[in-house]
Amino acid sequence: MNSFDEELTRRLAALHAQGLHRELRRVDSPPGTRIRIDDRALLNFSSNDYLGLANDPILKEAATQAVEKFGAGSGASRLICGSLAPHHDLEEALAYFKGAEAALSFSTGYATAIGTICALLGKDDVIVLDKLVHACIVDAARLSGAKIRVFAHNDLDDLEKILKWTEKNIQHPTPINREQESNIQHRKRTLIVTESVFSMDGDAAPLREIVALKEKHGAWLMVDEAHATGLYGKNRRGLAEESGVSERIEIQMGTLGKAVGASGGYICGSRPLIDFLVNRARSFIFSTAPVPAAAAAATAGVRFIQSPAGETRRKFLWTRVEQCGTGILPVSDLSNDPANAAKSQSKSKIGDRLEACPTLSAIIPVLIGDESKAVAASAVLREQGIFVPAIRYPTVARGKARLRVTLTATHTTEEINLLVATLNEIVNRKS
Ligand SMILES: *Cc1c(COP(=O)(O)O)cnc(C)c1O
């Protein structure tokens, strides 16, 4: 072995020792509640395909037709000759769905965050992040060069403290006399970024209060609805709609790879925002346009969500979440975190936890703490034919490893019962 490979082998061994090693599992089936992994049929509780659209005939048909009409590849970036009709149809459908003036689609949610945040902010600006935002937002913040300030998860007091600081230190000293004005590209800005429903905890941001704070302190707000699009609000636009604040959020972001059932990411907002991103978002400009099949499937997914069938799927999902919530699960035994153990002593069932949560979510984290224990619990579940992944650092903080259960509209009552029974059995066996 040469020294390069030796070095990497040492680093991999270190990951193994910490319970942080990861590997790919080959799936030999379409996405769904039953999947084939390593030649075994498993009941799947790990997918973000919350409405069960990824393998829906309507989306598959839309993708197939787009391949027939527009080909397998898109040939170039959007600004060269890759801006195909299916991309424009998707953006019209997205703007209509979200009730926004305009929309722009990207190849992934990750690319959406990177392109948008880096286009809007530079080194003189400040970006204020919830402690638990997704890695793509953290990476975007770093890449933008803006000053990064982090507030404790969903902590409005902490957020306001930071906003007061930015107001004092960042915005007011901007020189405004005629001569200097022409030299400055823009005023120094503060952008707050949060998720609406958090990806690894399933809890919701207090959007109404955050909107009020950003208006009070003259900041901008970007909300990532990755786990809320299609699931909340009268028109299923997301948690911003349910909270009645859609129109007051400058930048609404989401992904097309979760409840929408396809692949890609989007920004919805004003016409100037979208035009600006077309000119300035580097992950949009310098990347080949998504394949026509992806755009067409996403359009079909967005339309499905808006249809009565979309509302039926959402109702099914909340029924499953409630059913799972009534199962008995003493999470306190699993937790290494004393604060959490204390909390869960009084609320020992998932059901109680859900009641304590004002917003239902399809993401149910079962906190375990220790990385290796989480991996072991996931392995035991797999033995029993149930796939629930162990989520570890760096996806969540060290010592906060968990089983992340996700429910979808297409799970059956029997499947949920089996999950709850098996989880309970494993928890009791371990404690
Ligand atoms: C999944 C996810 C993304 C990234 O979206 P992709 O389309 O998978 O790249 C962004 N933000 C959050 C909160 C996510 O959960």
Side-chain angles (χ1 to χ4, degrees):
M1 204 186 278
N2 64 30
S3 64
F4 176 73
D5 290 333
E6 261 171 32
E7 165 71 23
L8 297 189
T9 306
R10 254 197 311 278
R11 293 189 195 178
L12 284 166
L15 288 177
H16 264 297
Q18 298 170 74
L20 295 178
H21 186 261
R22 301 175 176 214
E23 57 196 0
L24 295 172
R25 289 195 186 82
R26 177 181 165 132
V27 179
D28 280 301
S29 61
T33 52
R34 305 265 170 178
I35 53 172
R36 262 202 107 65
I37 298 184
D38 296 334
D39 244 1
R40 283 192 62 201
L42 294 175
L43 186 49
N44 183 18
F45 287 101
S46 69
S47 172
N48 300 316
D49 178 23
Y50 300 118
L51 298 175
L53 293 183
N55 195 37
D56 190 277
I58 295 173
L59 273 73
K60 291 202 285 190
E61 178 58 26
T64 309
Q65 279 191 11
V67 169
E68 290 300 334
K69 262 178 96 172
F70 295 97
S74 52
S77 70
R78 292 283 300 276
L79 282 165
I80 304 298
C81 65
S83 202
L84 304 174
H87 301 120
H88 291 266
D89 291 344
L90 170 59
E91 286 157 359
E92 274 168 34
L94 276 168
Y96 179 77
F97 166 46
K98 298 281 283 185
E101 203 169 75
L104 191 66
S105 62
F106 290 72
S107 48
T108 63
Y110 192 102
T112 307
I114 298 280
T116 303
I117 289 171
C118 294
L120 290 168
L121 299 185
K123 68 174 172 39
D124 294 330
D125 302 309
V126 181
I127 186 162
V128 186
L129 306 177
D130 183 286
K131 174 95 176 98
L132 295 188
V133 290
H134 192 265
C136 65
I137 295 166
V138 175
D139 294 356
R142 288 183 182 147
L143 190 61
S144 75
K147 283 187 194 63
I148 302 174
R149 291 288 179 271
V150 176
F151 62 100
H153 178 52
N154 281 347
D155 186 331
L156 295 164
D157 293 337
D158 204 20
L159 172 60
E160 181 152 39
K161 231 183 277 165
I162 294 171
L163 292 176
K164 280 182 180 157
W165 175 86
T166 58
E167 248 183 330
K168 222 189 269 145
N169 292 281
I170 306 297
Q171 295 191 329
H172 288 316
T174 310
I176 299 289
N177 67 50
R178 280 247 165 265
E179 212 174 299
Q180 284 165 308
E181 202 172 19
S182 54
N183 292 333
I184 38 174
Q185 281 250 310
H186 61 235
R187 268 188 62 191
K188 295 170 183 180
R189 289 295 175 191
T190 301
L191 172 70
I192 305 167
V193 190
T194 184
E195 289 174 35
S196 61
V197 171
F198 282 82
S199 62
M200 294 300 140
D201 292 74
D203 57 347
L207 289 183
R208 262 183 239 112
E209 290 80 359
I210 292 176
V211 165
L213 279 180
K214 72 103 184 169
E215 286 172 355
K216 184 171 161 200
H217 296 281
W220 293 338
L221 177 62
M222 173 168 173
V223 175
D224 181 354
E225 297 251 38
H227 298 276
T229 306
L231 306 185
Y232 302 89
K234 184 162 156 281
N235 301 297
R236 298 174 287 288
R237 291 171 181 167
L239 197 68
E241 184 191 23
E242 184 146 320
S243 312
V245 292
S246 306
E247 266 113 72
R248 293 157 70 193
I249 296 168
E250 283 82 3
I251 308 141
Q252 298 197 57
M253 171 188 161
T255 162
L256 303 167
K258 286 162 184 162
V260 177
S263 156
Y266 71 82
I267 294 288
C268 283
S270 66
R271 188 78 249 171
L273 169 66
I274 299 309
D275 289 346
F276 182 73
L277 292 177
V278 168
N279 282 277
R280 278 283 178 264
R282 294 170 66 87
S283 64
F284 176 87
I285 298 169
F286 298 106
S287 191
T288 299
V291 296
T299 305
V302 165
R303 295 207 172 114
F304 186 107
I305 284 171
Q306 292 172 88
S307 71
E311 176 60 9
T312 306
R313 288 281 173 106
R314 169 167 75 168
K315 279 195 184 129
F316 270 135
L317 176 63
W318 296 141
T319 307
R320 299 297 171 251
V321 170
E322 276 163 9
Q323 187 197 341
C324 191
T326 58
I328 299 161
L329 194 77
V331 285
S332 58
D333 293 341
L334 287 167
S335 174
N336 276 353
D337 178 349
N340 227 319
K343 226 188 284 165
S344 45
Q345 239 147 41
S346 54
K347 301 187 177 88
S348 65
K349 296 178 191 170
I350 282 189
D352 295 340
R353 199 189 70 78
L354 288 174
E355 275 165 34
C357 236
T359 311
L360 286 178
S361 120
I363 303 161
I364 302 176
V366 180
L367 196 68
I368 292 189
D370 180 76
E371 282 74 21
S372 304
K373 278 190 198 155
V375 173
S378 172
V380 175
L381 278 168
R382 215 159 48 246
E383 289 290 299
Q384 313 257 339
I386 295 181
F387 187 64
V388 177
I391 305 290
R392 293 163 281 165
Y393 178 83
T395 309
V396 295
R398 281 182 200 273
K400 298 259 187 196
R402 65 200 61 186
L403 296 172
R404 177 179 181 263
V405 175
T406 48
L407 305 181
T408 68
T410 40
H411 282 113
T412 65
T413 305
E414 292 71 31
E415 288 167 347
I416 304 282
N417 286 339
L418 184 65
L419 167 76
V420 170
T422 313
L423 268 176
N424 281 330
E425 189 202 309
I426 286 170
V427 169
N428 290 332
R429 199 198 295 171
K430 293 249 143 188
S431 57

